[in-house]
């Protein structure tokens, strides 16, 4: 294998984004406008009016062909099987996308000495009781198929990739697709009463902020020599109940009576992490990233949603 290129000397990188029609992928489209690098946005399904190359990341040959065609130096993997509950009945599909396909990406980038930036999740944690923010080297203890297959994907990258960053995030929301913020904006506007769990604690993440951090790391070639796992969410700590209260307040939905409840009141196929606050010290210190406070980012996203 050729020695890894010194990207600091590469004026323009060619970067392939997978899952570009999802929440994070769409925010990547926004934040990379005007970048000195060339971005190629890919997904499995076409969306009308959005320029997207078709790429199924479970197809190793298809990845190889596209990477050669566009002379790709780096991949940002935003594609995943993200339906946490449905994963319990769809192990093969979740494993194919969250583990095997991730290994495919790692292989292809290793063949080219390229960089793989992969997004993982706080759901790799949750099995052990703890109440301090999770560090990158804390042992993975997933409680369901989604978390398990994502953890295996991380392991495949650590085993197979040459240059990589694994960025774990949590409670992702954006202007795009379905997410908690959009659901609660609607429910608090239309329901007289709502119960929301207060015994699951974490930090929301505005996908725009995460995409901006990824773009900064690539644009300024900060990744060089910094292989590893990193954590990124917004700053602060909250519960789903408090998150909902904030959403209702910003939206001006004052007629809905929002009450806290226990997770046991909403039986789910998966036991969700009770405390999945991510410690972000490493990503902030390594890359010099300033992380916005969660309510500040929530206001920005909701302002965009309300004027849309
Ligand atoms: N959402 C969260 O709360 C959350 C929390 C923590 C971590 N994460 C992680 O953050 C990352 C981004 O999440 P997100 O919420 O932006 O995901 P998302 O909105 O579900 O987007 C994923 C995209 O990947 C596409 N995709 C599905 N199968 C594919 C395949 N075989 N090849 C290529 N693309 C495929 C999906 O297309 P279809 O829609 O047509 O299937 C979708 O456009 C993921 O790695 C996720 O695990 C998310």
């Amino acid at each position: 294998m050729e020695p890894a290129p010194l990207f600091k000397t590469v004026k323009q990188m060619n970067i392939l984004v997978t899952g570009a029609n999802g929440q994070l992928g769409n925010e990547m489209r926004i934040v990379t406008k005007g970048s000195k690098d060339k971005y190629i946005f890919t997904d499995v399904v076409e969306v009308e009016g959005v320029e997207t190359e078709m790429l199924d990341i479970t197809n190793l040959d298809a990845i190889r062909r596209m990477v050669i065609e566009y002379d790709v130096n780096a991949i940002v993997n935003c594609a995943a099987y993200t339906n946490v509950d449905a994963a319990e009945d769809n192990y093969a599909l979740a494993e194919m996308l969250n583990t095997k396909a991730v290994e495919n990406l790692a292989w292809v980038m290793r063949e080219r000495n390229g960089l793989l930036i992969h997004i993982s999740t706080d759901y790799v944690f949750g099995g052990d009781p703890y109440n301090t923010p999770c560090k990158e080297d804390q042992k993975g203890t997933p409680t369901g198929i989604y978390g398990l297959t994502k953890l295996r994907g991380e392991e495949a990258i650590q085993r197979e990739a040459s240059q990589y960053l694994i960025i774990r995030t949590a409670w992702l929301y954006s202007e795009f697709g379905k997410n908690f913020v959009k659901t609660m904006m609607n429910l608090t506007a239309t329901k007289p009463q709502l119960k929301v769990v207060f015994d699951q604690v974490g930090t929301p993440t505005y996908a725009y902020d995460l995409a901006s951090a990824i773009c900064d790391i690539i644009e300024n070639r900060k990744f060089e020599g910094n292989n590893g796992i990193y954590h990124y969410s917004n700053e602060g700590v909250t519960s789903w109940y408090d998150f909902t209260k904030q959403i209702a307040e910003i939206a001006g939905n004052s007629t809905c009576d929002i009450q806290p409840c226990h997770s046991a009141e909403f039986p789910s196929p998966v036991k969700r992490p009770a405390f999945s606050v991510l410690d972000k010290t490493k990503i902030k210190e390594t890359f010099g990233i300033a992380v916005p406070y969660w309510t500040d980012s929530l206001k920005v996203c909701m302002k965009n949603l309300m004027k849309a």
Side-chain angles (χ1 to χ4, degrees):
M1 202 197 297
E2 295 287 310
L6 283 171
F7 281 103
K8 281 194 175 70
T9 62
V10 177
K11 282 215 173 65
Q12 191 197 55
M13 286 173 65
N14 297 327
I15 300 147
L16 189 142
V17 178
T18 67
N21 294 334
Q23 295 198 80
L24 182 60
N26 267 299
E27 300 287 3
M28 285 296 299
R29 290 177 190 268
I30 294 172
V31 301
T32 56
K33 279 193 182 122
S35 165
K36 68 182 178 204
D37 295 318
K38 178 177 165 53
Y39 280 84
I40 304 110
F41 294 98
T42 72
D43 206 300
V44 271
V45 177
E46 271 185 282
V47 174
E48 214 184 310
V50 184
E51 201 174 310
T52 311
E53 294 283 337
M54 290 297 102
L55 178 64
D56 177 349
I57 62 165
T58 64
N59 184 336
L60 179 60
D61 289 336
I63 305 169
R64 276 206 181 99
R65 275 197 303 274
M66 193 164 282
V67 158
I68 290 167
E69 184 186 341
Y70 286 98
D71 192 19
V72 168
N73 313 101
I75 293 178
V76 180
N77 181 30
C78 303
Y81 186 97
T82 54
N83 190 329
V84 174
D85 286 339
E88 294 302 303
D89 296 323
N90 291 290
Y91 177 81
L93 207 55
E95 202 254 351
M96 173 94 84
L97 201 45
N98 292 343
T99 306
K100 190 74 195 76
V102 174
E103 189 175 57
N104 289 343
L105 297 172
W107 280 337
V108 174
M109 278 296 94
R110 188 182 61 194
E111 287 162 12
R112 297 182 63 81
N113 264 323
L115 168 74
L116 175 59
I117 298 186
H118 172 71
I119 312 305
S120 193
T121 171
D122 58 330
Y123 275 65
V124 300
F125 302 121
D128 290 339
Y130 49 85
N131 59 6
T132 49
C134 307
K135 292 233 169 95
E136 289 77 0
D137 57 0
Q138 182 172 317
K139 188 176 177 301
T141 54
T143 56
I145 301 300
Y146 170 71
L148 178 70
T149 55
K150 292 290 288 186
L151 183 63
R152 297 278 176 269
E154 293 183 1
E155 289 163 358
I157 292 178
Q158 290 171 294
R159 205 175 49 239
E160 305 294 343
S162 50
Q163 300 193 67
Y164 70 89
L165 306 180
I166 296 166
I167 304 179
R168 294 188 186 127
T169 191
W171 298 27
L172 208 61
Y173 68 89
S174 70
E175 295 86 351
F176 304 95
K178 283 191 202 150
N179 59 58
F180 188 81
V181 172
K182 287 167 132 186
T183 302
M184 287 305 172
M185 281 174 77
N186 178 38
L187 291 181
T188 57
T190 52
K191 297 253 182 210
Q193 278 180 328
L194 205 57
K195 281 184 175 179
V196 188
V197 299
F198 77 100
D199 56 1
Q200 289 171 31
V201 171
T203 316
T205 308
Y206 183 21
Y208 176 91
D209 294 338
L210 173 56
S212 303
I214 294 170
C215 185
D216 174 30
I217 291 168
I218 298 174
E219 191 87 1
N220 297 300
R221 313 297 188 241
K222 294 178 179 177
F223 53 83
E224 209 123 45
N226 283 318
N227 274 8
I229 299 181
Y230 297 86
H231 286 171
Y232 186 98
S233 67
N234 282 124
E235 291 288 16
V237 177
T238 193
S239 73
W240 292 108
Y241 162 73
D242 296 284
F243 192 9
T244 307
K245 293 283 282 183
Q246 272 294 320
I247 293 166
E249 190 178 319
I250 297 166
N253 298 338
S254 55
T255 55
C256 182
D257 175 24
I258 306 162
Q259 290 298 324
C261 72
H262 292 97
S263 302
E265 282 193 49
F266 289 103
S268 139
V270 184
K271 182 178 168 294
R272 289 171 154 74
F275 188 93
S276 64
V277 177
L278 299 175
D279 187 318
K280 296 172 287 290
T281 310
K282 186 178 170 191
I283 200 164
K284 288 191 284 187
E285 286 184 351
T286 308
F287 302 117
I289 286 170
V291 180
Y293 185 62
W294 74 273
T295 55
D296 294 338
S297 292
L298 180 61
K299 283 176 197 155
V300 175
C301 180
M302 286 184 60
K303 203 170 148 198
N304 291 339
L305 284 167
M306 287 188 286
K307 74 179 177 209

